[in-house]
Amino acid sequence: MAPSPALRCCKRALNWIPVLFINLVVAWSYYAYVVELCVFSYLVIFHAFLAIFIWSYWKTIWSKPASPSIAFALPRAEKELYEKEQRAEMQQEILKRVAKNLPIYTRTAGGAIRYCDFCQLIKPDRCHHCSTCEMCVLKMDHHCPWVNNCVGFSNYKFFVLFLAYATLYCVVICATVVQYFIKFWTKELPDTHAKFHILFLFFVAALFFISIVSLFSYHLWLVGKNRTTIEAFRAPVFANGPDKNGFSLGFKRNLVEVFGDQAKNWIFPVFSSQGDGHSFVTRLVHIDPEQVNSILQQNGKIPANGEPNPCVLVNSAPHTEDSSKETAGTRLCFGTISFRSSRLHLCVFFLFQMCLRRSL
């Protein structure tokens, strides 16, 4: 049964408690640093880091999660058929017909079209339903209680910057307070009402730094691999099976996909991520690159130290069932050479090689 409106309202109010806690800690740290410590030479750099930290934090909180467009909803006729149909296999056939005209290349673990019964739409690649936000979120990473918001395509850059500037904020506090912390601890300074604030400020900043820097490092790794937190735990499934590196395009391009192609915008919490969140560039690799290298070296097509340059498939055009089956066979491009692999092609190729060697 669906929760009552009063219960849902209370739940939404309780979800703001972690956000309120963080804001109270930041407000207290401001009082302890500016009022109790009050070192004028430190105030400029402190306020600079505080301002950009608050900016990125509130952008993460108030950026509405991006949801799929109406193009991913079932047309009225297909929706009626889907709702009337009781057999799961026939429902999948209806979804497949609709998905032919959509840029969708990932499937469920069982190979089915990913469909959300709550939002009643076909899920785009990397999209997931958030039970807390009660909506499907494009390129969903996770639901963060500390910002009371889903971290996804619309605010992932803001979230990473929030972690970065929160780490730097803690570093600034620890670096400038440590000398006064030592003096109060060794009783070189007289006991005043500021002693508690200075000692506690250093401990809180150090503890937050340790916890935040580990999370920040993890998300930097995810950015470099072009994965979400969900994909790090469960690899996306393509037509040929799970592929944890299916969306990885190399470190530089992965970085640009999140932060944009203008380096001047990287440090500011302004939206500059590439794409629309509905489709993503994918790299489908179905055979071992070293095996392909050895085969092509035998043919003299590439030098001994050459490396293959895999094709990049852009999910931006509608595809049909036949075309999706075609992509199940690998297409790896090496300059102007297109090598399409399947087990049958490889077997024929090796047999041809053996016959050629024997004839020589």
Side-chain angles (χ1 to χ4, degrees):
M1 295 179 61
S4 63
L7 184 61
R8 293 176 63 182
C9 185
C10 292
K11 181 181 177 182
R12 290 177 180 176
L14 291 175
N15 288 339
W16 285 101
I17 292 179
V19 178
L20 179 62
F21 172 75
I22 293 296
N23 281 271
L24 289 176
V25 170
V26 174
W28 168 79
S29 69
Y30 183 86
Y31 168 80
Y33 196 96
V34 176
V35 178
E36 297 295 342
L37 183 63
C38 193
V39 179
F40 182 77
S41 58
Y42 294 155
L43 292 182
V44 175
I45 187 173
F46 172 80
H47 281 91
F49 280 100
L50 175 64
I52 198 165
F53 160 60
I54 295 296
W55 184 11
S56 58
Y57 182 50
W58 283 92
K59 286 285 286 186
T60 307
I61 294 175
W62 296 111
S63 295
K64 184 179 180 181
S67 57
S69 69
I70 195 174
F72 289 82
L74 295 179
R76 180 177 298 179
E78 280 75 7
K79 184 179 179 181
E80 291 178 356
L81 290 175
Y82 182 86
E83 292 175 348
K84 292 178 181 178
E85 184 60 58
Q86 300 297 324
R87 293 170 296 177
E89 60 274 11
M90 295 306 299
Q91 288 181 333
Q92 273 298 306
E93 290 299 324
I94 296 173
L95 295 179
K96 286 180 181 179
R97 289 201 301 269
V98 178
K100 287 180 180 180
N101 300 318
L102 297 174
I104 297 174
Y105 289 86
T106 56
R107 300 290 186 266
T108 65
I113 300 294
R114 300 167 64 244
Y115 182 77
C116 180
D117 291 315
F118 297 99
C119 301
Q120 297 185 337
L121 51 81
I122 296 175
K123 296 180 183 179
D125 292 342
R126 316 183 83 175
C127 174
H128 298 274
H129 184 86
C130 176
S131 58
T132 304
C133 295
E134 299 179 349
M135 62 182 295
C136 283
V137 179
L138 295 179
K139 196 186 177 184
M140 179 178 173
D141 187 89
H142 69 288
H143 183 90
C144 180
W146 299 108
V147 300
N148 191 29
N149 199 3
C150 255
V151 178
F153 176 76
S154 63
N155 62 352
Y156 186 66
K157 176 191 173 183
F158 306 150
F159 178 75
V160 175
L161 290 180
F162 153 61
L163 296 178
Y165 291 127
T167 303
L168 292 177
Y169 180 70
C170 293
V171 169
V172 169
I173 291 178
C174 289
T176 54
V177 170
V178 63
Q179 56 179 323
Y180 301 99
F181 170 82
I182 295 174
K183 290 179 180 180
F184 275 118
W185 190 266
T186 57
K187 300 185 182 301
E188 293 183 20
L189 292 176
D191 290 341
T192 62
H193 65 281
K195 179 179 179 179
F196 166 79
H197 292 283
I198 301 304
L199 294 178
F200 199 57
L201 179 62
F202 180 83
F203 277 121
V204 171
L207 289 175
F208 270 86
F209 169 79
I210 293 172
S211 60
I212 294 174
V213 74
S214 58
L215 183 61
F216 175 56
S217 302
Y218 175 67
H219 278 278
L220 282 183
W221 179 80
L222 290 178
V223 171
K225 296 291 185 178
N226 202 345
R227 299 177 196 169
T228 64
T229 300
I230 295 175
E231 292 166 354
F233 287 95
R234 185 174 65 249
V237 180
F238 295 88
N240 64 312
D243 188 352
K244 63 182 180 180
N245 295 316
F247 295 106
S248 181
L249 307 171
F251 177 78
K252 184 177 180 180
R253 292 192 62 185
N254 293 342
L255 189 69
V256 168
E257 187 170 292
V258 174
F259 290 94
D261 54 3
Q262 298 292 326
K264 62 182 180 181
N265 295 326
W266 289 4
I267 63 174
F268 299 107
V270 294
F271 186 81
S272 58
S273 301
Q274 290 189 336
D276 58 3
H278 292 87
S279 59
F280 298 89
V281 179
T282 64
R283 180 174 62 185
L284 305 180
V285 180
H286 304 282
I287 61 175
D288 187 2
E290 294 183 0
Q291 182 182 15
V292 177
N293 270 343
S294 62
I295 295 173
L296 295 181
Q297 286 170 9
Q298 292 176 8
N299 270 349
K301 300 296 184 181
I302 61 173
N305 295 328
E307 295 183 355
N309 180 23
C311 281
V312 175
L313 176 63
V314 182
N315 296 353
S316 58
H319 67 286
T320 62
E321 189 70 14
D322 293 338
S323 64
S324 63
K325 290 180 180 179
E326 181 182 351
T327 57
T330 307
R331 288 176 293 176
L332 297 179
C333 295
F334 304 84
T336 58
I337 306 165
S338 178
F339 184 78
R340 178 181 177 182
S341 69
S342 66
R343 292 184 178 179
L344 179 60
H345 286 83
L346 287 176
C347 290
V348 173
F349 182 82
F350 285 126
L351 288 174
F352 175 78
Q353 287 285 88
M354 292 175 62
C355 294
L356 181 62
R357 289 179 180 179
R358 289 184 178 182
S359 63
L360 294 176

